[in-house]
Amino acid sequence: MENDVSKVLLTEAEIRAGLKRLAGELTVEYRGSDLAVVAVLHGSCVFVSDLIRLLPIPLTLEFLACGSYGEGTVSSGEVRLTFIPGAENFAGRRVLLVDDILDTGRTLLRVREALRARGAADVKTCVFLDKPSRRVVPIRSDFRGFEIEDVFVVGYGLDFAGRYRNLPYLAALKPEIYAARQPAPEPRG
Ligand code: IMP
Ligand code: MG
């Protein structure tokens, strides 16, 4: 697995420092609230697990899942919710929607709308990574760990073709790894 890495973009220590800063911001925002954290599977699993352990406030944790219509290299762009927690888990409460990366923005925009429509009192977003140059829909994250350039990344929960989520740091893969597997990376959760 490590042999497939071309470059480490964020080390474990850098990630830890970024999360501490982020947790400080979230603690200021949510101290005294009844917080419902809702995380998008699967990419946010590592991030949300580390993040909630840095938040000294009462919270509940739920997960939701998305898929996009269409197969192959070109996504149709339509985001479908394949699993959403029952509204009783967040209705009337402050919700923090957590995802691994804000890329085109379609996922977060769609999911934020769905949570609002189902009665969340307030929905703010928190992403581990932000790739602003890739945005196609108008959304900004309220909280974010790191801004990165337009490069496909893996590790710390993010996958290529389902693999590499367990790398403890953030990395780019060697070009031949992407090339060896056709079609080209279609981001999945
Ligand atoms: P969106 O384009 O903002 O809707 O992002 C959709 C999903 O694509 C994200 O939640 C990630 O799971 C995935 N994704 C986007 N960019 C990358 C990347 O560089 N590496 C791995 N997954 C990615
Ligand atoms: Mg994801």
Coordinates of all heavy atoms in Angstrom, one line a residue, residues 39-42 63-69 78-85 107 110-111 114 118 188-189:
A39 N -22.7 12.2 9.9 CA -21.5 12.0 9.0 C -21.9 11.2 7.8 O -22.7 10.3 7.8 CB -20.4 11.3 9.8
V40 N -21.2 11.6 6.7 CA -21.5 11.0 5.4 C -20.5 9.8 5.2 O -19.3 9.9 5.3 CB -21.3 12.0 4.2 CG1 -21.6 11.3 2.9 CG2 -22.1 13.2 4.4
L41 N -21.1 8.6 5.0 CA -20.3 7.4 4.8 C -19.8 7.4 3.4 O -20.4 7.9 2.5 CB -21.2 6.1 5.0 CG -21.7 5.8 6.4 CD1 -22.7 4.7 6.4 CD2 -20.5 5.4 7.3
H42 N -18.7 6.7 3.1 CA -17.8 6.0 4.1 C -16.6 7.0 4.4 O -15.9 6.7 5.4 CB -17.2 4.7 3.6 CG -18.2 3.7 3.2 ND1 -19.5 3.9 2.7 CD2 -18.1 2.4 3.2 CE1 -20.1 2.8 2.5 NE2 -19.3 1.8 2.8
F63 N -25.1 8.4 10.9 CA -24.4 8.3 9.6 C -25.5 8.3 8.5 O -26.6 7.8 8.7 CB -23.6 7.0 9.5 CG -22.4 7.0 10.4 CD1 -22.4 6.5 11.6 CD2 -21.2 7.6 9.9 CE1 -21.3 6.5 12.4 CE2 -20.1 7.7 10.7 CZ -20.1 7.1 12.0
L64 N -25.1 8.9 7.4 CA -26.0 8.7 6.2 C -25.2 8.3 5.0 O -23.9 8.4 5.1 CB -26.8 10.0 5.9 CG -26.1 11.3 5.7 CD1 -25.5 11.3 4.3 CD2 -27.1 12.4 5.8
A65 N -25.8 7.8 4.0 CA -25.1 7.3 2.8 C -25.7 7.9 1.5 O -26.9 8.1 1.4 CB -25.1 5.8 2.8
C66 N -24.8 8.1 0.6 CA -25.2 8.7 -0.7 C -24.6 7.9 -1.8 O -23.7 7.2 -1.7 CB -24.6 10.1 -0.9 SG -25.0 11.2 0.3
G67 N -25.2 8.0 -3.0 CA -24.7 7.5 -4.2 C -25.0 8.5 -5.3 O -25.8 9.4 -5.1
S68 N -24.3 8.3 -6.5 CA -24.7 9.2 -7.6 C -25.1 8.3 -8.7 O -24.6 7.2 -8.9 CB -23.6 10.1 -8.0 OG -22.4 9.4 -8.4
Y69 N -26.1 8.8 -9.4 CA -26.7 8.1 -10.5 C -25.6 8.0 -11.6 O -24.8 8.9 -11.8 CB -27.9 8.8 -11.1 CG -29.1 8.7 -10.2 CD1 -29.5 9.8 -9.5 CD2 -29.8 7.5 -10.1 CE1 -30.6 9.8 -8.7 CE2 -30.9 7.4 -9.2 CZ -31.3 8.6 -8.5 OH -32.4 8.5 -7.7
E78 N -26.1 13.8 -10.2 CA -27.2 13.8 -9.3 C -26.9 12.9 -8.1 O -26.5 11.8 -8.2 CB -28.4 13.2 -10.1 CG -29.8 13.5 -9.4 CD -30.9 13.0 -10.2 OE1 -30.8 12.8 -11.4 OE2 -32.0 12.8 -9.6
V79 N -27.1 13.5 -6.9 CA -26.8 12.8 -5.7 C -28.0 12.2 -5.1 O -29.0 12.9 -4.9 CB -26.1 13.7 -4.7 CG1 -25.8 13.0 -3.4 CG2 -24.8 14.2 -5.2
R80 N -28.0 10.9 -4.8 CA -29.1 10.1 -4.3 C -28.8 9.8 -2.9 O -27.7 9.3 -2.6 CB -29.3 8.9 -5.2 CG -30.4 8.0 -4.9 CD -30.5 7.0 -6.0 NE -29.1 6.4 -6.4 CZ -28.8 5.2 -6.2 NH1 -29.6 4.3 -5.6 NH2 -27.6 4.8 -6.5
L81 N -29.7 10.0 -2.0 CA -29.6 9.5 -0.6 C -30.0 8.1 -0.5 O -31.1 7.8 -0.8 CB -30.4 10.4 0.4 CG -29.9 11.8 0.6 CD1 -31.0 12.6 1.3 CD2 -28.6 11.8 1.3
T82 N -29.1 7.2 -0.1 CA -29.4 5.8 0.0 C -29.8 5.4 1.4 O -30.4 4.4 1.6 CB -28.3 4.9 -0.6 OG1 -27.1 5.3 0.1 CG2 -28.1 5.1 -2.0
F83 N -29.3 6.2 2.4 CA -29.7 5.9 3.8 C -29.7 7.2 4.5 O -28.7 7.9 4.5 CB -28.8 4.9 4.4 CG -29.1 4.7 5.9 CD1 -30.2 4.0 6.3 CD2 -28.3 5.3 6.9 CE1 -30.5 3.8 7.6 CE2 -28.6 5.2 8.2 CZ -29.7 4.4 8.6
I84 N -30.7 7.5 5.3 CA -30.8 8.7 6.1 C -31.3 8.3 7.4 O -32.3 7.6 7.5 CB -31.5 9.8 5.4 CG1 -31.5 11.1 6.2 CG2 -32.9 9.5 5.0 CD1 -31.7 12.4 5.4
P85 N -30.7 8.8 8.5 CA -31.3 8.4 9.8 C -32.7 9.0 10.0 O -33.0 10.0 9.4 CB -30.3 9.1 10.8 CG -29.4 10.0 10.1 CD -29.5 9.6 8.6
T107 N -22.7 16.8 -3.2 CA -23.1 15.9 -2.0 C -23.6 16.8 -0.8 O -24.7 16.6 -0.3 CB -21.9 15.0 -1.6 OG1 -21.5 14.3 -2.7 CG2 -22.4 14.1 -0.5
R110 N -26.9 18.7 -1.4 CA -28.0 17.9 -1.4 C -28.4 17.4 0.0 O -29.5 17.4 0.4 CB -27.7 16.7 -2.3 CG -28.7 15.5 -2.3 CD -29.9 15.9 -3.2 NE -30.8 14.7 -3.2 CZ -31.8 14.5 -2.2 NH1 -31.8 15.3 -1.2 NH2 -32.6 13.5 -2.3
V111 N -27.4 17.0 0.7 CA -27.6 16.4 2.1 C -28.0 17.5 3.0 O -28.9 17.3 3.9 CB -26.3 15.7 2.6 CG1 -26.5 15.2 4.0 CG2 -26.0 14.5 1.7
A114 N -31.6 18.1 2.5 CA -32.4 17.0 3.0 C -32.6 17.0 4.6 O -33.7 16.8 5.1 CB -31.8 15.6 2.6
R118 N -36.1 17.9 6.7 CA -36.6 16.9 7.7 C -36.6 17.5 9.1 O -36.8 16.8 10.0 CB -35.8 15.6 7.6 CG -36.1 14.8 6.4 CD -35.1 13.7 6.2 NE -35.4 12.7 5.1 CZ -35.2 13.0 3.8 NH1 -34.7 14.2 3.5 NH2 -35.5 12.1 2.9
R188 N -16.4 7.5 -4.7 CA -17.5 6.8 -4.1 C -17.5 7.1 -2.6 O -16.6 6.7 -1.9 CB -17.4 5.3 -4.2 CG -17.1 4.9 -5.7 CD -17.0 3.4 -5.7 NE -16.4 2.8 -4.4 CZ -16.4 1.6 -4.1 NH1 -17.0 0.7 -4.9 NH2 -15.9 1.2 -3.0
G189 N -18.5 7.8 -2.1 CA -18.6 8.0 -0.7 C -17.3 8.5 0.0 O -17.0 8.1 1.1

